[in-house]
Each structure stands twice: as C-alpha cells, then as structure tokens.
Amino acid sequence: METLLLFSSLLLWVLVLLNLLLTLGLARRMRAAFPRLETLKVGQRAPDFTARTLNGETVTLAAYARRPVAFVFVSPDCQPCREALPRLQELRSQAQQFGVELILVSDAAEDKTLSFVEGLADGLPVLVAPRERTSFLSDYKAMGTPSYCLLDAQGKVRAAGPGLAELGEKLRALAHELGGGDGMEGERH
C-alpha cells in the first residue's frame, strides 16, 4: 500500500511540473504573439508628418510649431473611437483652457472620415492620414486607435499612449508644469 501511495504522489508531482512547464511555454508564446505597444518616448522630438485636412489642404508638423498640440488618432471602423468622440468635445474645451490644440487624426480616407466625424466631432480640427498614403500614424507609433500623442510648444513629446483615459490628466499636468491653464501659449519657452 505504501508503494502505491508513494508512486501516486510521485506521479502527481510529475504532472504538476509538466503542467507548470506547459503553462510557462503558453505564456511565452502569448507574449510573442501580442507584443507590447510601443509609444514615442517622452522628451523626444516629434517626427515630421504630412497629412491633409478635410478641405484638402496639406499640413505638416510645422503648422503646429511653437504651440502645444494633442494628436488623437482615431479610425472610423473603431467602435471605442466612436464612443470616445463625445468625450473628445469635453477634452477639447479642457485642452483649449490649458492652451493646447486638440487635433483628430483619422487613418481613413476623406469621405469615410467626414461621415465618421459629422455630428459627433463638430468643430474639432481633423487631419486625414490613411496608412497606405502616409507614415504619420506609424511614425507616431499609433498602432491602435484610439490613442494620443501630446506635444509641447517646442515640438517634444510630453505624453503618448493608447486609449484616451489619461489624456485629460496629462493635459492638466502639462498646464500645471508650465505655470497654469493660461501659461501654455507658444510664447512661453
């Protein structure tokens, strides 16, 4: 009887170890299949870009020189983006209060972007930067939508990341750091 109990215990431990090894192998494969989203690093210079407005005007980073700006990357096919548009109107007033311009950057063509923002993002400036025509989104490491990139007046990255939950907090932090809600205009260096 003792031999059977010893054998059963030993077999149970072998199964536990095999289970642990299989779990570690699965976790390793999952990590490789879903790499961490990389964002621009705080303090680095923002990459230049080329995009178009909904009016067909070509815009580059130079158009936003000497003033803080928050690019919010969205996609018309993204349900969380659709749900975030009303919140973006609130963030826009907060950003304006802090002297930051909030810009939507769509990864779709002009017609699809226009129907996406109509009625939901009225008054928000919109740039159109389809991935097949421009490297704007990949240069800003906006691999998912919605995501954001907050630049200071010197064109350096102050914050970047997926989602929009942190953007309001980052706007307040930047305004506080630069002397309050009225101290972020481009004249301050």
Side-chain angles (χ1 to χ4, degrees):
M1 183 74 171
E2 267 182 43
T3 309
L4 182 63
L5 186 60
L6 182 62
F7 180 73
S8 296
S9 295
L10 185 61
L11 185 60
L12 180 62
W13 277 109
V14 167
L15 287 174
V16 167
L17 286 174
L18 282 174
N19 189 4
L20 181 62
L21 288 173
L22 287 172
T23 302
L24 290 174
L26 182 60
R28 188 180 226 183
R29 278 191 144 176
M30 292 293 288
R31 188 173 38 241
F34 299 103
R36 245 179 66 153
L37 289 179
E38 189 179 335
T39 61
L40 293 178
K41 304 293 182 234
V42 172
Q44 88 176 76
R45 260 217 178 285
D48 197 8
F49 65 84
T50 301
R52 297 180 69 79
T53 66
L54 288 174
N55 298 332
E57 177 186 339
T58 300
V59 177
T60 65
L61 180 61
Y64 303 101
R66 306 181 71 72
R67 58 189 163 144
V69 63
F71 293 114
V72 178
F73 302 100
V74 295
S75 175
D77 299 325
C78 163
Q79 186 59 36
C81 296
R82 288 186 176 285
E83 293 167 1
L85 282 180
R87 170 83 173 108
L88 284 175
Q89 290 292 12
E90 295 171 30
L91 276 175
R92 179 181 182 217
S93 0
Q94 184 180 359
Q96 286 174 331
Q97 176 185 358
F98 298 139
V100 178
E101 187 170 3
L102 189 69
I103 310 290
L104 283 182
V105 180
S106 172
D107 70 353
E110 288 84 354
D111 56 341
K112 200 169 185 181
T113 298
L114 185 58
S115 64
F116 170 62
V117 298
E118 268 184 335
L120 293 173
D122 292 333
L124 275 170
V126 179
L127 296 179
V128 179
R131 292 180 192 272
E132 63 275 358
R133 283 196 332 224
T134 177
S135 62
F136 189 174
L137 278 82
S138 60
D139 290 346
Y140 277 71
K141 298 185 181 184
M143 298 304 153
T145 56
S147 58
Y148 70 93
C149 184
L150 178 61
L151 307 179
D152 64 17
Q154 289 75 37
K156 291 188 178 175
V157 176
R158 299 309 297 245
L164 298 177
E166 294 180 345
L167 182 55
E169 179 183 313
K170 300 294 183 182
L171 288 168
R172 281 188 295 280
L174 181 58
H176 178 73
E177 181 180 319
L178 297 177
D182 60 349
M184 288 188 53
E185 289 76 25
E187 290 76 41
R188 289 227 171 164
H189 295 275

